[in-house]
Amino acid sequence: MAYEYILVEKRDRVGLITLNRPEALNALCAGLIDELGQAVALFEADDEIGCLVVTGSERAFAAGADIKEMIGKDFQQVYREDFITDDWEVLAKTRKPVIAAVAGYALGGGCEVAMMCDFIIAAENAKFGQPEITIGTIPGAGGTQRLTRIVGKSKAMDMCLTGRMMDADEAERCGLVSRVVPVDKLMEEAMAAAAKIAGHSLPVTMIAKESVDRSYETTLSEGLRFERRVFHSTFALDDRREGMTAFAEKRKADWKHR
Ligand code: HXC
């Protein structure tokens, strides 16, 4: 499929999506969001893919929603369109794992898209922020909600009310990113992590992801109950028996469902 705003490739059971609108620092225009949704849906349905990576350029993961596209909108329009629509949530709804590989700016909607992914690997030059307050609005795709759950109230308030940027070290310290790597190692590291994930049993990986995600949506006791039930469900899979047998026989597991 030909895309205008993204690049898409498959490598080692990994689906790589590169945001590619360099002249606007990957600002998330409607066309880009639409293409991102199409690419994610195709990878989700593709049996040869076990993990996705979303990245941008060295200068910008994405500098936010497209401000120039938003300028002319009024309340009636954004309310009727339910802007931001579900198209934006496509990454958050994907059942296969998604890694965000972030270099440069991840601001506003860019930071929100990164937070929709399952984890973020950041380059040393990464800068995260929710600067919407500086242009007269507030985050609209999870910036006040996901960021607060991830980094806590104090830092989320600081980011949303001052609009300041956070560098990669601060983002790692507060748990927004899982690891920080040199800029020139970002893709190598992200693709290796994704290939490792994609090398496991796909149904077990999806169950693990669903269980971690559940912790955001429910109480501890309900979450623990859910975890135990889906843990039990792995015992219905050939891959659970194969994994444990391979360990006992000191060999590599030969997964049936990948
Ligand atoms: C549209 C954008 C853009 C954006 C950058 N550009 N960010 N266009 N929407 N969000 C464009 C610039 O207009 C410029 O194009 C080109 O990209 C390069 O940007 P510069 O500003 O010249 O680069 P630089 O001086 O290096 O500054 C980089 C920057 C700055 C600090 C990232 O561009 C910036 O502050 N951008 C806006 C960040 C922001 O406020 N994001 C939140 C958006 S609101 P031209 O053609 O002029 O050269 C949002 C709401 C989400 O995300 C709500 C739910 C989705």
Side-chain angles (χ1 to χ4, degrees):
M1 185 177 296
Y3 295 105
E4 186 178 349
Y5 301 113
I6 61 173
L7 304 172
V8 170
E9 64 182 288
K10 295 207 273 191
R11 253 192 262 162
D12 257 354
R13 295 185 48 77
V14 175
L16 173 62
I17 300 173
T18 305
L19 309 182
N20 185 37
R21 203 185 163 212
E23 71 286 359
L25 301 183
N26 293 331
L28 302 160
C29 59
L32 190 155
I33 290 294
D34 186 45
E35 291 185 1
L36 182 62
Q38 290 176 41
V40 170
L42 287 174
F43 282 145
E44 177 82 355
D46 187 339
D47 288 340
E48 288 173 4
I49 295 297
C51 187
L52 280 65
V53 173
V54 179
T55 194
S57 68
E58 262 185 32
R59 193 168 165 217
F61 177 76
D66 191 316
I67 298 169
K68 293 164 193 169
E69 230 178 45
M70 285 188 293
I71 290 174
K73 291 183 188 287
D74 60 18
F75 171 78
Q76 131 87 4
Q77 195 180 352
V78 293
Y79 183 77
R80 279 289 300 278
E81 288 172 359
D82 205 12
F83 178 74
I84 295 309
T85 62
D86 283 351
D87 300 351
W88 276 74
E89 288 280 326
V90 67
L91 285 169
K93 290 190 174 145
T94 301
R95 297 173 72 212
K96 289 179 182 173
V98 189
I99 301 172
V102 174
Y105 298 112
L107 303 177
C111 187
E112 292 171 312
V113 164
M115 289 190 292
M116 287 173 198
C117 299
D118 295 311
F119 63 96
I120 301 173
I121 299 179
E124 283 166 346
N125 74 340
K127 288 197 184 311
F128 298 88
Q130 299 293 161
E132 288 87 344
I133 196 90
T134 67
I135 55 165
T137 185
I138 71 162
T144 65
Q145 301 302 303
R146 289 196 177 93
L147 185 65
T148 307
R149 281 168 167 76
I150 296 168
V151 305
K153 177 181 166 185
S154 187
K155 202 171 279 286
M157 281 289 191
D158 181 356
M159 302 306 294
C160 292
L161 299 185
T162 68
R164 78 173 173 89
M165 294 184 209
M166 190 195 285
D167 67 17
D169 282 343
E170 184 180 359
E172 189 182 28
R173 279 199 308 278
C174 67
L176 178 58
V177 311
S178 70
R179 21 180 150 158
V180 178
V181 299
V183 178
D184 61 353
K185 291 276 181 296
L186 176 66
M187 290 320 293
E188 191 182 317
E189 189 95 10
M191 292 302 282
K196 192 166 176 81
I197 291 168
H200 295 143
S201 164
L202 181 59
V204 179
T205 298
M206 289 169 66
I207 289 169
K209 167 172 166 154
E210 191 178 355
S211 196
V212 174
D213 275 339
R214 185 56 71 100
S215 71
Y216 275 93
E217 305 284 350
T218 192
T219 61
L220 179 61
S221 59
E222 277 309 310
L224 289 170
R225 191 196 311 273
F226 179 83
E227 179 190 73
R228 201 175 325 137
R229 290 295 171 249
V230 291
F231 162 69
H232 292 158
S233 78
T234 66
F235 284 71
L237 295 168
D238 301 335
D239 281 345
R240 194 282 314 167
R241 185 179 297 276
E242 166 61 10
M244 293 188 183
T245 304
F247 173 81
E249 292 177 354
K250 299 187 187 305
R251 61 174 173 80
K252 210 166 170 275
D254 180 15
W255 307 119
K256 199 165 176 179
H257 303 289
R258 292 209 318 161

